[in-house]
Amino acid sequence: MDILPQVRETIKRFGMLTPGDAVVVGVSGGPDSVALLDLLSRLRDELGLRLHVAHLNHRLRPEAAEEAEFVRRLASGYGLPVTVDAADVPAYAGERRLSTEMAARELRYAFFTRVLSAVGAAKVALGHQADDQAETVLMNLLRGTGLAGLKGIPPVRGPFVRPLIEVRRAAIEAYCASRGLKTCYDASNIQTAYRRNKIRHELLPLLEREYNPALVPALGRLAAVLREEEEFLAAEAAKVYAGLRSVTVAGVYFDGAAISTLPRAMARRVVRLAYREVAGSVYDLDFRHTEEVLRLLERATGREVILPRGVKAVRIHGRLLFRTGAVPAVPDFCYPLPVPGVAVIREIGVAVKAELVASGRDPATLPPQEALLDYERVRPPLFVRRRRAGDLFYPLGHPAPVRLKSFFINQKIPRYHRDRIPLVVDATGILWVAGVRPAEPVRVTSQTRRCLHLELIPLEKNDL
């Protein structure tokens, strides 16, 4: 069974890859990732791809070292460069009080992000498929999630793409057999002590057998629909949040009465956005903490709720204030930004992606985490760095350059957050205060021929 046409269509529909992309292919050695590598190798000339294989040894099983060598040989067989590294997952899990699965996930994504930056790639292709999607939706449903969990695994998130996301596991295994592809066998995948494996081997087959034989595609459709609705609601919540939010040196606050008049679903989203801004985290509040914050509005002034990562929500004179205690200083950082390519800033947990695109898109339609600049006015090399004393910035729409510190004050950006805003600079100065505003000298005009597209991407924490 050749699944190449289906994978080609998935790549096209979700805009996963563009001609000339350098792509890091995450290969564990199992059927999914081996099939993914083979399929992308077959598409390499058609799409003009440059492939680089990446494998992380989690050191969780005795055969892990053999699997790393298998991947090395596999990459060599395709004539591809390969990066193999190892991580002490148990030690990392113990240090951060994480489950083994969560620790492995965090280390894996950090590894892929490092390889992405090191080889100057634009994308990381991962082997998640349709059965993984169904299992994720079921697992989140059992946990009591909202739309964010039921939307499942995104086909595309930042540089991470999943070309197999619509292909069933059985079809992938049949593809490997038909192509004579050797794969590694991971015995831990059948251990039902892990919740995901229990869902995979017990719950999902039961539901397919007794209730709906087409359950996997049905859950895939559910995830797709809810993903679109979640994206719409998230965009609407961002507008409401921007209209209600105020900032002082104490933190982020809202008028309590204004939040109380919102529909409960919107109020929850506003609370979570406030938490993320103050915590400087990609993690969302869980339902219990969110409800505790909203209940503050029914209590007397001075009451507070202690939230994860050192954040406090406090009711003060009709206001709901989100604040932190002492905020750790951000080390100075400065990283080269290749075009196209990605700069990873681990000090603040984000990456900046750069690519060249044709002119024609209105920059005003972009979300704050993206920017379009006139590339002909850019003076390489580009770097991403932290702010420095005496920095000047020429904001888009402003008549003259201003001190960056004054710009931050006028934009009501909290002092503790200013060092956490990366600056994209060239030989002439600041091109983009990431997530806030681009510079006037590189404004896109009707004369612009090529655009530099910049995107600020949180480093993933919660994906598979």
Side-chain angles (χ1 to χ4, degrees):
M1 177 180 182
D2 194 354
I3 57 177
L4 181 64
Q6 183 180 7
V7 171
R8 182 189 286 116
E9 176 58 28
T10 298
I11 291 172
K12 179 180 179 181
R13 183 166 64 261
F14 291 105
M16 292 182 174
L17 303 173
T18 55
D21 272 347
V23 183
V24 173
V25 188
V27 179
S28 67
D32 299 338
S33 62
V34 169
L36 174 65
L37 178 61
D38 187 71
L39 289 158
L40 291 180
S41 296
R42 293 174 65 190
L43 290 170
R44 180 167 36 173
D45 292 339
E46 178 182 329
L47 297 180
L49 304 177
R50 292 180 290 119
L51 304 179
H52 187 104
V53 177
H55 173 87
L56 182 66
N57 177 356
H58 296 89
R59 294 177 175 168
L60 291 174
R61 295 174 291 108
E63 59 271 27
E66 294 179 9
E67 291 170 356
E69 287 306 310
F70 169 83
V71 174
R72 287 187 193 274
R73 293 193 300 271
L74 185 66
S76 176
Y78 284 102
L80 297 175
V82 59
T83 299
V84 175
D85 202 352
D88 191 338
V89 173
Y92 183 87
E95 291 169 2
R96 289 161 178 77
R97 298 182 179 180
L98 299 172
S99 68
T100 300
E101 291 173 283
M102 179 62 76
R105 186 177 302 131
E106 289 196 1
L107 288 169
R108 188 162 58 247
Y109 276 90
F111 165 68
F112 288 142
T113 303
R114 290 196 304 272
V115 177
L116 183 83
S117 178
V119 305
K123 306 286 175 58
V124 177
L126 302 176
H128 301 114
Q129 29 80 348
D131 290 72
D132 291 327
Q133 181 73 285
E135 293 158 10
T136 298
V137 173
L138 279 177
M139 185 164 62
N140 289 338
L141 178 63
L142 294 173
R143 250 190 328 232
T145 187
L147 287 182
L150 292 178
K151 71 181 183 180
I153 309 168
V156 177
R157 177 182 283 174
F160 297 93
V161 299
R162 299 172 171 92
L164 303 182
I165 197 65
E166 297 179 314
V167 185
R168 292 294 307 267
R169 179 179 289 117
I172 291 170
E173 292 172 351
Y175 174 82
C176 289
S178 68
R179 295 275 295 172
L181 303 176
K182 294 182 179 179
T183 64
C184 296
Y185 173 70
D186 183 354
S188 68
N189 284 334
I190 64 171
Q191 296 174 4
T192 55
Y194 296 108
R195 177 176 294 184
R196 176 175 289 276
N197 287 349
K198 196 174 183 67
I199 290 171
R200 175 179 302 171
H201 297 296
E202 296 180 5
L203 179 59
L204 191 54
L206 172 66
L207 294 174
E208 287 182 306
R209 185 172 61 251
E210 300 292 339
Y211 296 94
N212 183 359
L215 182 62
V216 169
L219 290 174
R221 290 193 300 272
L222 173 66
V225 170
L226 294 185
R227 186 164 53 248
E228 293 172 353
E229 296 192 1
E230 165 65 18
E231 289 170 356
F232 170 76
L233 290 172
E236 293 300 304
K239 296 175 187 176
V240 173
Y241 179 67
L244 294 180
R245 160 190 175 276
S246 296
V247 177
T248 68
V249 292
V252 174
Y253 72 87
F254 303 88
D255 181 271
I259 291 187
S260 296
T261 60
L262 295 174
R264 192 75 171 188
M266 185 59 70
R268 290 189 188 106
R269 289 174 178 272
V270 168
V271 165
R272 288 171 179 151
L273 287 171
Y275 170 77
R276 289 183 66 171
E277 178 176 1
V278 174
S281 168
V282 297
Y283 287 107
D284 276 332
L285 279 184
D286 61 22
F287 180 81
R288 177 177 64 85
H289 281 121
T290 303
E291 291 299 299
E292 287 180 0
V293 171
L294 290 175
R295 281 197 292 271
L296 279 177
L297 299 176
E298 304 165 4
R299 300 174 183 175
T301 188
R303 297 292 183 89
E304 68 178 24
V305 173
I306 309 298
L307 303 174
R309 297 182 178 266
V311 177
K312 292 182 179 181
V314 187
R315 172 91 186 271
I316 302 179
H317 303 303
R319 290 179 173 178
L320 189 58
L321 172 70
F322 293 79
R323 66 180 180 86
T324 60
V327 179
V330 176
D332 190 27
F333 61 83
C334 183
Y335 295 99
L337 177 60
V339 181
V342 177
V344 178
I345 307 100
R346 285 183 290 276
E347 290 85 350
I348 54 175
V350 300
V352 176
K353 176 184 174 184
E355 60 183 346
L356 295 179
V357 298
S359 60
R361 188 173 180 185
D362 182 0
T365 64
L366 295 177
Q369 63 270 24
E370 298 181 41
L372 279 179
L373 313 180
D374 188 332
Y375 189 62
E376 304 302 325
R377 302 184 181 188
V378 173
R379 297 293 175 263
L382 301 187
F383 294 88
V384 183
R385 64 169 174 83
R386 202 190 74 173
R387 67 173 179 147
R388 296 171 181 167
D391 270 338
L392 294 178
F393 177 50
Y394 194 161
L396 181 68
H398 202 273
V402 297
R403 293 178 63 198
L404 181 63
K405 180 178 179 180
S406 299
F407 173 75
F408 280 149
I409 292 171
N410 290 337
Q411 294 298 306
K412 299 182 179 179
I413 294 173
R415 184 179 303 172
Y416 68 83
H417 191 58
R418 295 170 192 171
D419 286 342
R420 299 175 183 277
I421 298 178
L423 307 175
V424 177
V425 303
D426 70 353
T428 65
I430 299 172
L431 303 179
W432 186 39
V433 178
V436 184
R437 192 178 301 180
E440 175 67 28
V442 286
R443 172 202 290 269
V444 172
T445 70
S446 59
Q447 305 302 313
T448 299
R449 292 179 294 174
R450 284 194 304 170
C451 291
L452 175 63
H453 178 252
L454 299 173
E455 184 178 3
L456 183 65
I457 303 170
L459 298 182
E460 296 199 24
K461 304 287 185 182
N462 292 322
D463 273 351
L464 284 165

